[in-house]
Amino acid sequence: MKPDVLPFYALSELPKVGAQCHAWASDLFPICRSLTGPGVRHTLSYLKELMPLLKIRSAPSGTRAFDWEVPKEWRIRGARLIGPGNEIIADFANHNLHVVGYSVPVDQELDFEELQVHLHSLPELPDAIPYVTSYYEARWGFCLPDNKRRTLQPGRYRACIDSELVDGELNYGEIILPGETDLEILLSTYVCHPSMANNELSGPVVTIALARWLAGQRRRFTYRILFIPETIGAILYLSMHYEPMRARTIAGYVVTCVGDDRMYSFLPSRSGNTLADRAARLVLGEICPNYTTYTFLDRGSDERQYCSPGIDLPVASVMRSKYGCYPEYHSSLDDLSLITPAGLQGGFDAIAQCLQVIEVNHRWHATILGEPHLGKRGLYPTLSTRESAKHVRKVMNLLAYADGSVDFIDLCRASTVPWKEAASMLSTLYIAGLVEIVDDC
Amino acid sequence: MKPDVLPFYALSELPKVGAQCHAWASDLFPICRSLTGPGVRHTLSYLKELMPLLKIRSAPSGTRAFDWEVPKEWRIRGARLIGPGNEIIADFANHNLHVVGYSVPVDQELDFEELQVHLHSLPELPDAIPYVTSYYEARWGFCLPDNKRRTLQPGRYRACIDSELVDGELNYGEIILPGETDLEILLSTYVCHPSMANNELSGPVVTIALARWLAGQRRRFTYRILFIPETIGAILYLSMHYEPMRARTIAGYVVTCVGDDRMYSFLPSRSGNTLADRAARLVLGEICPNYTTYTFLDRGSDERQYCSPGIDLPVASVMRSKYGCYPEYHSSLDDLSLITPAGLQGGFDAIAQCLQVIEVNHRWHATILGEPHLGKRGLYPTLSTRESAKHVRKVMNLLAYADGSVDFIDLCRASTVPWKEAASMLSTLYIAGLVEIVDDC
Amino acid sequence: MKPDVLPFYALSELPKVGAQCHAWASDLFPICRSLTGPGVRHTLSYLKELMPLLKIRSAPSGTRAFDWEVPKEWRIRGARLIGPGNEIIADFANHNLHVVGYSVPVDQELDFEELQVHLHSLPELPDAIPYVTSYYEARWGFCLPDNKRRTLQPGRYRACIDSELVDGELNYGEIILPGETDLEILLSTYVCHPSMANNELSGPVVTIALARWLAGQRRRFTYRILFIPETIGAILYLSMHYEPMRARTIAGYVVTCVGDDRMYSFLPSRSGNTLADRAARLVLGEICPNYTTYTFLDRGSDERQYCSPGIDLPVASVMRSKYGCYPEYHSSLDDLSLITPAGLQGGFDAIAQCLQVIEVNHRWHATILGEPHLGKRGLYPTLSTRESAKHVRKVMNLLAYADGSVDFIDLCRASTVPWKEAASMLSTLYIAGLVEIVDDC
């Protein structure tokens, strides 16, 4: 019954999801998300349509979470900045980045000079509306292109923000896909930024595509897939679940900035050498050998929480253009034209391959002393060409290092055989009885 | 009685063997060796004349050996390819490379086009007869220079090969030189290629020279020295002896391609850091600091078997120009002009020095706290010159690292003292009571 | 009472000592020191005036010390080399380097040719008087500039050295500054060279400045501070104290060549990775990132004894221009103009910072799971600027690696926060209850 126990259930072809992901992102783009509020709920409901296993959870404002507590819920209905001639300078209805996130309500006239402290623009990106928030201090403000700002004249302005900060709830989504073991893989993305594409929507749409794909696979491991507001969401979730997560999580990835097609980036876990890191380096080294490597000191998303001392989850990030490192970051220029079907597909493929590698990451042991006689098993080419010689050489290299002391990742590294070829060859050798699995990772 | 137990019995001057080795190779060159058959026996008998301790062993065709079995014995008496005008195109009597090794008997007329599949030549080396074998599939064929092949005209050809494949035996040679301990050093070379020099005869002649030299030395270790057909010979021998070999072998070398004088090459064991590897890197680093280093993935001789999982012998290769990496490899251009007395001497010296290093590879410990007062023992120069200062500095560096935590090889590395100087200095210090041996390796 | 147990008692500003050190060196410069004799006693008495805790110890000639014994005491009252025309060629009264150290007494006429073996000069530094000694063989000699030597004419010369070698004593100084624990830090400098500045006086004057500074600090560790003749002094001292020193010493520095301002140099301990080495690399990496690194093979002072097998103290050297590596070394050109107040201050600062780092080298552990909410503790800037963001980022990086697995030195390395900033931040975090000390080093 060997084929039954053969663990290469993860070796199926990866689905084409790039165009679909882009369409989903287009649907979700206009929604005004923040840490809390209707925008998050709207987004999670949309995702639940795509993946009914997603559970939408909530925690009330004021809930304690480690050193933090859940903030008040922010609701915004509209906002306008009106100029001295009654012209509309910025309107929330046109772009939700025009309002500083978590702005307190205001309806006030004020002079040009008084207004300045409430305005935000980017001289270095004069056409972009910047993304600004003030989660933990009561403020209000408007964001606008610097080119626009520089046209403003002295006079009386009116600022109207129809928002409220109320005792409400924080929402997040959770999908649990049980596997053959309790050991878990974590995928975590965030749903707390308004209309931005690479540094927001690429994360949830690629993550939901991963969840849909994984749901249809035989899974050695259990998958915990989270859609949360950044920082407070991760802290809240960990405060409720960190003990079992710490005990069971063998690898995880923060899924963010996986939508453009300019490069691949890797940000390691704090320790830098977990299974998540090792799988990511193997996969990225094959997909894009000159991918950009950052250090944990460059971190900026929820690995800040997942990898913190005492939590210590093995969580890394595999990205396209990393947050903070591309010019359109945190502005209205990070829009739907920045992410592409090919870019999203690439982000999906990279993370999916990491998961495949982890699924097949067994320790292998050759069953035969000395080199096996491949010819008598039909595993040696009868027609000897350069390509067949290379193939046999790779098989021999895999067998040479299959001594049970290294896992699949290190076996690929030692033998220099690309991981998909290695997995396929080991599958063949396994059916032929020439290798066995000596230890699950 | 300290000088008695002093272990530097391996520090004698190395003998001059290069010219002798070349003469032996010239004698052995014409013999048509293969995996089995009279050529191997003829070769082994010649070597036994040089070293009567060599035992010629045999195993019948069909003997099981791990995943393999001993093939039928191949005997060839003659072979000719005759052209349309009755001219002789290729004659085994002129060069034994003209016949594909293990060719089945044939006596057949065939057209020019039918003939092509049975012909082998090298367009990139148009004057060379290539070396081709078909051990594990029934074939026949002729090998010839490409320049010759391109002169062939359409017409009827006659192929005559007077060979047979019969139930016979496989032969190999074995020398055991007992030492003061049961711990063993393995030397293994092969005797299965027809008339080629660097990639065949350099191995047996240098190995027999090593055996003759070792037989006259006081030996701390036991030496197991093998002359076998490649692959099947190693597999057969291991299948009979691998358990004691695995328990006792502390280091070993495959002796191959040790005859030209163009470079030195090193191919590590599978683990890459065994005593055999460490000794070889120390010695080659001194003999030829820019020696070429390969990886185990570049392997091609019997380290494939010796280092395989479950066998795990600490076996590396110290070579001159490595098989597969010089233009004349596996062709009639690998002839007696390619190997030189200087080249063979260099191959002998490199391996002999590795063995010397292993023989003296003790852990040393300084007996005196603080630096010793060398002057009062006559070990400090009375006339102080730059050279004597260097000498004393080296002695002090050896003593500084002689803390019993490292073996001789690492002591040489840490102190940067060349190994022969280090051994000589330690010998002096040992007699003076300033160092002691705290642990045999 | 947390501030009470807060261990940053070493974070005080370092005193300005450079000018003072140079003045002390000027006072001590004319004294004719050697291994033994009145010059050493005179020097130690001067230092005791500066630091009354210094104890002046002695051991009689002939005292056994490991493999050595204390030599006879050398006393010199005067010496002249007089030329054929009665002119004075070299006079000890003008410069004590004119006489070979430990010269036996002589009053003798001799020819120009006979004289040569007793003369020492440096053709490559023709204006310099070289520094020459003959401690362990009875000799006499004069040293003079090569320019002077080349003017000498044939004729009768008279050599007068009014010296004696008598059973006397060897003297050394010792300061013990008790700390809160018995664990010790060793500082060792030498007082055995005549009138030279960088390679002699910079060591004792910086060491006495360090002792005076340390005496006024709260000290976690006990300091053992030695002023000894090189080699025999270290061997003698170790022979009396090595067992408790080996048990208690956590780090140490040989203080030598700390007076010029041309560069910083580092010579590691034998093992190369002790606490002394790690602290020195951290400090020098911040003070002077392109400092010169030597290996233990370049050693030349009392680390030869302190690091010898069986003694194994964790002792390194932090220097300005290293002995043997600057042109004026061991000659009259190594004078008071070579060392500067800035150079001495730099040497003092570098070693003092190493001691500060060792004093604060605890293992830290964040007390809160996930990132702490710095804002509510007033530790997050209310006005967000680029500089404040960098500050918070550094705090977060310290906290991210404060998992109790690494000490302060490695925490600085992992977080890339300069050590003084790191110590200051940890102090703030400690008072806020966000970090705790989990293990003393």
Side-chain angles (χ1 to χ4, degrees):
Chain A
M1 293 285 76
K2 272 183 168 177
D4 263 352
V5 300
L6 192 62
F8 290 122
Y9 35 83
L11 282 186
S12 53
E13 277 297 297
L14 294 176
K16 295 298 164 208
V17 301
Q20 183 78 77
C21 283
H22 201 276
W24 295 334
S26 303
D27 290 346
L28 292 166
F29 191 78
I31 302 172
C32 180
R33 281 163 297 275
S34 184
L35 287 192
T36 59
V40 179
R41 283 189 290 273
H42 186 168
T43 301
L44 292 172
S45 298
Y46 181 93
L47 295 171
K48 187 174 175 63
E49 294 275 322
L50 301 177
M51 180 65 181
L53 291 173
L54 184 146
K55 307 285 188 202
I56 301 176
R57 313 279 191 194
S58 66
S61 300
T63 304
R64 294 297 309 264
F66 292 150
D67 199 37
W68 300 63
E69 63 180 52
V70 173
K72 286 189 186 295
E73 182 177 322
W74 187 55
R75 296 173 192 160
I76 181 162
R77 281 169 295 267
R80 278 187 175 173
L81 177 65
I82 300 167
N86 230 26
E87 75 281 14
I88 296 173
I89 310 295
D91 190 342
F92 177 76
N94 290 337
H95 204 303
N96 54 34
L97 287 180
H98 276 312
V99 176
V100 168
Y102 261 66
S103 276
V104 296
V106 68
D107 187 350
Q108 179 184 345
E109 291 209 357
L110 64 179
D111 284 338
F112 180 68
E113 288 74 22
E114 292 172 295
L115 180 63
Q116 294 310 312
V117 70
H118 297 285
L119 296 188
H120 303 274
S121 65
L122 297 169
E124 66 275 24
L125 283 181
D127 292 322
I129 310 169
Y131 169 54
V132 180
T133 64
S134 181
Y135 294 139
Y136 297 104
E137 188 166 336
R139 279 201 181 94
W140 64 264
F142 285 90
C143 305
L144 69 173
D146 203 59
N147 280 342
K148 176 80 179 182
R149 184 178 186 174
R150 280 186 286 123
T151 68
L152 300 187
Q153 300 297 325
R156 290 296 279 176
Y157 286 78
R158 184 166 166 216
C160 303
I161 299 180
D162 179 13
S163 69
E164 55 182 339
L165 282 159
V166 298
D167 280 332
E169 62 187 37
L170 176 148
N171 302 100
Y172 61 91
E174 179 191 49
I175 300 170
I176 305 289
L177 299 176
E180 295 168 1
T181 74
D182 281 348
L183 296 175
E184 289 187 3
I185 295 176
L186 173 68
L187 298 178
S188 178
T189 192
Y190 48 83
V191 287
C192 60
H193 294 67
S195 298
M196 288 182 292
N198 191 42
N199 185 39
E200 170 71 6
L201 292 171
S202 70
V205 301
V206 165
T207 305
I208 208 76
L210 287 165
R212 287 157 57 108
W213 166 69
L214 287 165
Q217 304 295 312
R218 182 173 161 196
R219 296 175 301 274
R220 183 170 156 211
F221 300 112
T222 295
Y223 288 77
R224 187 185 293 263
I225 305 173
L226 305 181
F227 302 79
I228 55 179
E230 219 175 4
T231 304
I232 182 65
I235 287 171
L236 174 69
Y237 193 88
L238 283 170
S239 74
M240 294 185 292
H241 301 289
Y242 79 96
E243 284 182 339
M245 289 174 76
R246 205 166 52 180
R248 294 181 197 151
T249 306
I250 60 163
Y253 297 97
V254 170
V255 186
T256 172
C257 296
V258 286
D260 73 336
D261 52 19
R262 292 179 283 192
M263 63 168 67
Y264 286 92
S265 306
F266 174 61
L267 186 131
S269 73
R270 183 163 67 97
S271 88
N273 206 27
T274 69
L275 182 54
D277 298 293
R278 295 169 60 239
R281 287 199 189 92
L282 182 68
V283 165
L284 288 174
E286 294 184 15
I287 288 179
C288 175
N290 61 342
Y291 68 92
T292 302
T293 296
Y294 294 92
T295 78
F296 189 67
L297 298 178
D298 302 308
R299 73 197 178 284
S301 188
D302 283 330
E303 67 283 345
R304 290 163 52 187
Q305 314 310 327
Y306 295 131
C307 297
S308 63
I311 304 292
D312 296 316
L313 299 185
V315 172
S317 296
V318 170
M319 295 166 280
R320 306 300 307 251
S321 291
K322 178 184 169 288
Y323 46 80
C325 299
Y326 58 97
E328 305 87 352
Y329 172 71
H330 267 198
S331 84
S332 58
L333 300 183
D334 186 351
D335 63 16
L336 290 166
S337 70
L338 192 73
I339 61 174
T340 65
L344 292 156
Q345 182 72 47
F348 176 89
D349 287 350
I351 297 173
Q353 285 196 37
C354 291
L355 303 178
Q356 288 180 309
V357 163
I358 293 168
E359 286 280 344
V360 304
N361 192 44
H362 292 284
R363 291 180 189 274
W364 300 93
H365 202 300
T367 58
I368 283 177
L369 292 172
E371 290 186 345
H373 193 313
L374 294 183
K376 71 181 186 188
R377 291 183 177 80
L379 298 177
Y380 203 93
T382 54
L383 184 66
S384 181
T385 67
R386 281 180 179 274
E387 278 314 301
S388 67
K390 281 184 193 167
H391 178 84
V392 170
R393 166 66 76 164
K394 285 177 183 173
V395 170
M396 288 303 191
N397 285 345
L398 278 177
L399 282 168
Y401 286 100
D403 63 358
S405 76
V406 295
D407 64 8
F408 175 74
I409 294 171
D410 283 340
L411 182 52
C412 292
R413 292 223 170 269
S415 62
T416 71
V417 181
W419 82 263
K420 278 191 187 177
E421 268 186 270
S424 169
M425 287 171 179
L426 286 167
S427 176
T428 302
L429 294 170
Y430 184 79
I431 291 167
L434 293 177
V435 293
E436 61 188 2
I437 294 171
V438 294
D439 196 359
D440 274 27
C441 85
Chain B
M1 292 285 77
K2 271 183 168 177
D4 262 352
V5 301
L6 191 63
F8 290 121
Y9 36 85
L11 282 185
S12 53
E13 277 297 297
L14 295 176
K16 295 298 164 208
V17 301
Q20 183 78 78
C21 282
H22 200 277
W24 295 334
S26 303
D27 289 346
L28 291 165
F29 192 78
I31 302 172
C32 181
R33 283 162 296 273
S34 185
L35 288 191
T36 59
V40 178
R41 284 189 289 274
H42 187 167
T43 300
L44 292 172
S45 298
Y46 181 93
L47 295 171
K48 188 175 175 62
E49 295 275 323
L50 302 177
M51 179 65 181
L53 291 172
L54 185 145
K55 307 284 187 204
I56 301 177
R57 313 279 190 194
S58 64
S61 299
T63 303
R64 294 297 308 264
F66 293 150
D67 199 37
W68 300 63
E69 60 180 54
V70 172
K72 286 189 186 297
E73 183 178 322
W74 187 55
R75 298 175 191 158
I76 180 161
R77 281 169 293 268
R80 278 188 175 174
L81 177 64
I82 300 166
N86 231 25
E87 75 281 17
I88 295 174
I89 310 293
D91 190 342
F92 176 78
N94 290 336
H95 205 302
N96 53 34
L97 287 180
H98 276 311
V99 176
V100 168
Y102 260 65
S103 278
V104 296
V106 68
D107 187 351
Q108 180 183 342
E109 290 207 358
L110 64 180
D111 283 340
F112 182 68
E113 289 74 21
E114 292 172 296
L115 181 64
Q116 294 309 312
V117 71
H118 297 284
L119 295 188
H120 303 274
S121 66
L122 297 169
E124 67 274 24
L125 282 181
D127 292 324
I129 310 168
Y131 168 55
V132 180
T133 65
S134 181
Y135 294 139
Y136 297 104
E137 190 166 333
R139 279 202 180 91
W140 64 265
F142 285 90
C143 305
L144 69 173
D146 202 62
N147 280 342
K148 175 81 179 180
R149 184 178 185 173
R150 280 186 286 124
T151 67
L152 300 186
Q153 301 295 326
R156 290 295 278 178
Y157 285 78
R158 184 163 168 219
C160 304
I161 299 181
D162 179 12
S163 69
E164 55 181 340
L165 281 158
V166 298
D167 281 332
E169 61 187 38
L170 175 147
N171 303 100
Y172 61 92
E174 179 191 50
I175 299 170
I176 305 289
L177 299 176
E180 294 169 2
T181 75
D182 280 348
L183 295 175
E184 289 186 4
I185 295 175
L186 173 68
L187 298 177
S188 178
T189 192
Y190 47 83
V191 287
C192 59
H193 294 67
S195 298
M196 288 183 291
N198 191 43
N199 185 40
E200 170 71 6
L201 292 171
S202 71
V205 299
V206 165
T207 305
I208 209 75
L210 286 165
R212 287 156 56 107
W213 167 67
L214 286 165
Q217 303 296 312
R218 181 173 162 196
R219 296 175 301 274
R220 183 170 156 210
F221 301 112
T222 294
Y223 288 76
R224 186 185 293 263
I225 305 173
L226 304 180
F227 302 79
I228 54 180
E230 220 174 4
T231 304
I232 183 63
I235 288 172
L236 173 69
Y237 193 87
L238 283 170
S239 74
M240 294 186 290
H241 301 288
Y242 79 96
E243 285 182 339
M245 287 174 77
R246 205 165 51 178
R248 293 182 199 151
T249 308
I250 60 161
Y253 296 97
V254 169
V255 186
T256 171
C257 296
V258 286
D260 73 336
D261 53 18
R262 292 180 282 192
M263 62 169 67
Y264 286 92
S265 308
F266 174 60
L267 186 131
S269 73
R270 183 162 67 97
S271 88
N273 206 26
T274 69
L275 181 54
D277 298 293
R278 295 169 60 238
R281 287 197 189 94
L282 182 68
V283 165
L284 288 174
E286 294 184 15
I287 288 179
C288 175
N290 61 342
Y291 67 92
T292 301
T293 297
Y294 294 92
T295 78
F296 189 67
L297 298 177
D298 303 308
R299 72 198 178 284
S301 187
D302 284 330
E303 67 283 346
R304 289 162 53 187
Q305 314 310 327
Y306 296 131
C307 297
S308 63
I311 303 292
D312 295 316
L313 298 186
V315 172
S317 297
V318 170
M319 294 166 280
R320 306 300 307 246
S321 293
K322 178 185 170 286
Y323 45 79
C325 300
Y326 58 97
E328 306 87 352
Y329 172 71
H330 267 199
S331 84
S332 58
L333 300 184
D334 186 351
D335 63 16
L336 290 167
S337 70
L338 192 73
I339 62 174
T340 65
L344 292 157
Q345 182 73 47
F348 176 89
D349 286 350
I351 296 173
Q353 283 197 39
C354 291
L355 303 179
Q356 287 180 308
V357 163
I358 294 168
E359 287 279 345
V360 302
N361 192 43
H362 293 284
R363 290 180 190 273
W364 299 92
H365 202 299
T367 57
I368 284 177
L369 292 171
E371 292 185 346
H373 194 313
L374 294 183
K376 71 182 185 187
R377 290 184 179 78
L379 299 176
Y380 202 93
T382 53
L383 185 65
S384 181
T385 68
R386 283 179 178 273
E387 277 315 300
S388 67
K390 281 184 193 166
H391 177 85
V392 171
R393 166 66 76 165
K394 285 177 183 175
V395 170
M396 287 304 190
N397 286 344
L398 278 177
L399 282 168
Y401 286 99
D403 64 358
S405 75
V406 296
D407 65 7
F408 175 74
I409 293 171
D410 283 340
L411 182 52
C412 292
R413 292 224 170 271
S415 63
T416 71
V417 181
W419 83 263
K420 278 191 187 177
E421 267 186 270
S424 169
M425 287 171 181
L426 286 166
S427 175
T428 302
L429 293 170
Y430 183 79
I431 291 166
L434 294 176
V435 293
E436 60 188 1
I437 294 171
V438 294
D439 195 0
D440 274 27
C441 84
Chain C
M1 293 288 77
K2 272 182 170 179
D4 263 352
V5 300
L6 191 64
F8 290 121
Y9 36 84
L11 282 185
S12 54
E13 278 296 297
L14 294 175
K16 295 297 164 208
V17 302
Q20 184 79 77
C21 282
H22 200 277
W24 296 334
S26 303
D27 289 346
L28 291 166
F29 191 79
I31 301 172
C32 180
R33 282 163 296 275
S34 184
L35 287 191
T36 59
V40 179
R41 284 189 290 273
H42 186 169
T43 300
L44 291 172
S45 298
Y46 181 94
L47 295 171
K48 188 175 175 63
E49 294 274 321
L50 301 177
M51 179 67 180
L53 292 173
L54 184 145
K55 308 284 187 204
I56 301 177
R57 314 278 192 195
S58 65
S61 299
T63 304
R64 295 296 310 264
F66 293 150
D67 199 37
W68 300 63
E69 61 180 53
V70 173
K72 287 190 187 293
E73 183 177 321
W74 187 55
R75 297 175 192 159
I76 180 161
R77 281 168 295 267
R80 279 187 175 173
L81 179 62
I82 300 166
N86 230 26
E87 75 282 16
I88 297 174
I89 310 294
D91 189 342
F92 176 77
N94 290 336
H95 205 304
N96 54 36
L97 288 179
H98 276 311
V99 175
V100 168
Y102 261 65
S103 277
V104 296
V106 68
D107 186 353
Q108 180 183 343
E109 290 206 0
L110 63 182
D111 284 338
F112 181 68
E113 290 72 23
E114 292 172 295
L115 180 64
Q116 294 309 313
V117 70
H118 298 285
L119 295 188
H120 304 272
S121 65
L122 297 169
E124 66 275 23
L125 282 181
D127 292 324
I129 310 168
Y131 169 54
V132 179
T133 65
S134 181
Y135 294 138
Y136 297 104
E137 188 166 334
R139 277 200 181 94
W140 63 265
F142 286 89
C143 306
L144 69 172
D146 203 60
N147 280 341
K148 176 81 179 183
R149 182 177 186 174
R150 280 186 286 124
T151 67
L152 300 187
Q153 301 295 326
R156 289 297 276 178
Y157 285 78
R158 182 162 170 222
C160 304
I161 299 181
D162 178 12
S163 70
E164 56 182 339
L165 281 159
V166 297
D167 281 332
E169 61 188 36
L170 176 147
N171 302 100
Y172 60 92
E174 178 190 51
I175 300 170
I176 305 289
L177 299 176
E180 295 169 2
T181 74
D182 280 349
L183 297 175
E184 289 186 4
I185 295 176
L186 173 67
L187 298 177
S188 179
T189 192
Y190 48 82
V191 287
C192 59
H193 294 67
S195 298
M196 288 183 291
N198 191 43
N199 185 40
E200 170 73 6
L201 291 171
S202 70
V205 299
V206 165
T207 304
I208 209 76
L210 286 166
R212 286 157 56 108
W213 167 68
L214 286 165
Q217 304 294 313
R218 182 173 162 194
R219 296 176 301 274
R220 185 171 156 208
F221 301 111
T222 295
Y223 288 76
R224 185 185 294 264
I225 305 173
L226 305 180
F227 302 79
I228 54 180
E230 221 175 3
T231 304
I232 183 63
I235 287 171
L236 173 69
Y237 193 87
L238 284 170
S239 74
M240 294 186 291
H241 301 289
Y242 79 96
E243 286 183 337
M245 287 175 76
R246 205 166 52 178
R248 295 181 198 152
T249 307
I250 61 163
Y253 297 96
V254 170
V255 186
T256 171
C257 295
V258 286
D260 72 336
D261 52 19
R262 292 180 283 192
M263 62 168 66
Y264 286 92
S265 308
F266 174 61
L267 186 132
S269 73
R270 183 163 66 96
S271 88
N273 205 26
T274 69
L275 181 55
D277 299 292
R278 295 170 60 238
R281 288 197 189 92
L282 182 68
V283 165
L284 288 174
E286 294 185 15
I287 288 179
C288 176
N290 61 342
Y291 68 93
T292 302
T293 296
Y294 295 91
T295 78
F296 189 66
L297 298 178
D298 302 308
R299 72 196 179 284
S301 187
D302 283 329
E303 67 283 345
R304 290 163 53 187
Q305 314 311 327
Y306 296 131
C307 297
S308 63
I311 304 291
D312 295 316
L313 298 185
V315 172
S317 296
V318 170
M319 294 166 279
R320 306 300 308 250
S321 292
K322 178 185 170 287
Y323 46 81
C325 300
Y326 58 97
E328 305 86 352
Y329 172 71
H330 267 197
S331 84
S332 58
L333 300 183
D334 186 352
D335 62 16
L336 290 166
S337 70
L338 193 73
I339 62 173
T340 66
L344 292 157
Q345 182 72 47
F348 176 89
D349 287 350
I351 295 173
Q353 284 197 39
C354 292
L355 303 179
Q356 288 180 309
V357 163
I358 293 169
E359 286 280 344
V360 303
N361 191 44
H362 293 284
R363 292 181 187 272
W364 298 93
H365 202 299
T367 59
I368 283 176
L369 292 171
E371 290 186 347
H373 194 313
L374 294 183
K376 71 181 187 188
R377 290 184 178 77
L379 298 176
Y380 203 92
T382 54
L383 185 67
S384 182
T385 68
R386 281 179 178 274
E387 277 314 301
S388 67
K390 281 184 193 167
H391 178 84
V392 171
R393 166 66 76 166
K394 285 178 182 173
V395 170
M396 288 304 191
N397 286 344
L398 278 177
L399 283 168
Y401 286 99
D403 64 358
S405 76
V406 295
D407 64 8
F408 175 75
I409 294 171
D410 283 340
L411 182 52
C412 292
R413 292 223 170 272
S415 63
T416 70
V417 181
W419 82 263
K420 278 191 186 176
E421 267 187 272
S424 169
M425 287 172 181
L426 285 167
S427 176
T428 302
L429 294 170
Y430 183 80
I431 291 167
L434 294 176
V435 293
E436 59 189 2
I437 295 172
V438 294
D439 196 0
D440 274 27
C441 83

